[in-house]
Amino acid sequence: TWRKMGKSLPRPQAILSISAHWITKGTKVTGNAQPRTIHDFGGFPKKLFDQQYPAPGAPELAKLTKDLVTYSHIQTDDSWGLDHGTWSVLLPMYPAADIPVYQMSIDYDQPLQYHYEIGKQLNKLRDKGVLIIGSGNLVHNLGMVDWGNTGKKFDWATEFDTKFTEWMNKGDHASILKYQQILGTTARMAHPTNDHLLPLYYILGLKQPGDELKYFNDKFDYGSISMRSVVIG
């Protein structure tokens, strides 16, 4: 499916990725010209550690992004690169790695509204031909993973996936911003920590009147991981 998306979407001038795997104090963007491939995981086959994604960076766009986001002070970071939340998606989409890529970090200490508001201010990047990707999971509970992959889905996981999708379809961002209060235990089961949900708030902030939503990869893995993905625009 990711390969198909790379062929069906208009070819971007650059890509900004907001990955669940770059958590920082404050919000940062990578400003390096040649970002390194980061293998930020353990216990997986050697083939994954051998993967490289040598895409060029986008220093000028990083500067523009800093200027566009007035909701918060954005810092430039040259130490990070492309983590697996970014390259694992882009490798099948754009295997030539010839499109400039940069990342934005997530300040986990900030409220949901913060991430949503920054997403709104990133919208002008779309006019520059920048593809903005939020890389996470709609449901993400590693502690409840069914390692036998029996195909079962937990009721709370299905409920969360269904309700959140319903809100997105209705454009009910007010409920999405209060999902923890509304869904209670279901929310806590779907996201014991919500780092993998936060990238979606940036993407929903981008939505403009008339933008359509299209879903793909709307499947569960191992019972407690919803891979549902959404395209806006």
Side-chain angles (χ1 to χ4, degrees):
T1 305
W2 287 114
R3 285 193 292 269
K4 291 178 181 177
M5 293 303 299
K7 293 176 181 178
S8 64
L9 292 173
R11 181 178 171 84
Q13 296 298 310
I15 299 168
L16 170 60
S17 174
I18 300 143
S19 165
H21 293 276
W22 191 22
I23 304 295
T24 57
K25 292 287 186 181
T27 300
K28 302 181 180 183
V29 289
T30 54
N32 31 10
Q34 295 293 329
R36 61 192 175 95
T37 303
I38 301 174
H39 301 90
D40 49 327
F41 44 68
F44 289 97
K46 183 177 181 295
K47 185 177 181 180
L48 273 178
F49 291 92
D50 289 341
Q51 299 299 313
Q52 294 292 318
Y53 197 74
E60 291 302 317
L61 281 170
K63 182 180 183 302
L64 175 61
T65 302
K66 286 181 59 178
D67 294 340
L68 287 176
V69 177
T70 58
Y71 188 80
S72 177
H73 175 65
I74 307 297
Q75 301 172 327
T76 302
D77 183 286
D78 292 332
S79 65
W80 199 250
L82 306 180
D83 60 51
H84 83 272
T86 296
W87 63 257
S88 66
V89 171
L90 296 183
L91 188 58
M93 288 183 74
Y94 305 109
D98 56 354
I99 300 172
V101 182
Y102 66 119
Q103 283 199 205
M104 174 174 277
S105 73
I106 293 174
D107 185 346
Y108 189 72
D109 292 333
Q110 297 293 338
L112 298 176
Q113 190 78 40
Y114 174 90
H115 309 284
Y116 181 72
E117 295 297 332
I118 289 182
K120 285 183 179 180
Q121 295 194 322
L122 294 176
N123 194 62
K124 291 182 180 179
L125 291 173
R126 296 171 67 184
D127 298 332
K128 303 288 185 181
V130 178
L131 172 64
I132 303 172
I133 294 176
S135 178
N137 293 107
L138 191 55
V139 176
H140 186 264
N141 187 330
L142 293 181
M144 296 294 291
V145 160
D146 170 23
W147 291 111
N149 202 20
T150 61
K152 70 178 180 182
K153 289 187 290 186
F154 295 103
D155 290 344
W156 49 264
T158 302
E159 179 186 352
F160 188 92
D161 182 87
T162 300
K163 178 55 70 174
F164 219 91
T165 303
E166 177 185 310
W167 288 335
M168 287 193 288
N169 289 337
K170 291 180 178 178
D172 185 1
H173 293 183
S175 292
I176 288 173
L177 287 164
K178 297 187 296 184
Y179 85 93
Q180 291 157 316
Q181 299 95 305
I182 296 172
L183 294 179
T185 301
T186 296
R188 290 190 292 275
M189 291 298 294
H191 290 279
T193 60
N194 66 356
D195 47 311
H196 274 69
L197 187 62
L198 293 178
L200 181 58
Y201 283 79
Y202 294 82
I203 304 306
L204 292 176
L206 295 169
K207 189 175 185 301
Q208 298 294 297
D211 279 346
E212 295 183 4
L213 300 184
K214 298 177 183 177
Y215 299 102
F216 64 102
N217 288 348
D218 51 346
K219 303 289 191 299
F220 274 82
D221 280 342
Y222 302 102
S224 65
I225 307 292
S226 171
M227 303 298 288
R228 180 184 295 277
S229 303
V230 58
V231 175
I232 292 178

